[in-house]
Amino acid sequence: MSSSSSIQSISAEPPAVAPGASPAQIDASCRIPVLHLFFGALTWLAVGSVLAVIASIKMHGSFLDGSAWLTYGRVQPAAMHALIYGFASQAGLGVAIWIVGSEEHPS
């Protein structure tokens, strides 16, 4: 048996879309995860914005002075983390899935 017969040929063409799946079916299958990520991102955007407004008010007045856990040093980092890790990461993943799912695949 020769060594050339045991080597399989490698195709330079990209793999096609899953057998029998049209681009519309791929878009429909990605819709729920993408919407879930976007709505989660909007929730974190609202939470982060409320915390940022509280932190801004804490800089200029005696708003909510009775709560030790609502001091500026705790609220401002919580707002930034909610915006960065809650909003930006989920929105970025949603956009990435949407872009990958809506790419044109050669037939």
Side-chain angles (χ1 to χ4, degrees), residues 81-97:
H81 289 170
L83 289 172
I84 293 170
Y85 298 117
F87 169 70
S89 63
Q90 288 190 16
L93 284 173
V95 168
I97 291 172

Side-chain angles (χ1 to χ4, degrees), residues 27 30-31 34 37-38 92-103:
D27 288 342
C30 292
R31 181 175 296 131
V34 168
L37 285 169
F38 284 157
L93 284 173
V95 168
I97 291 172
W98 178 64
I99 289 173
V100 168
S102 65
E103 279 185 353

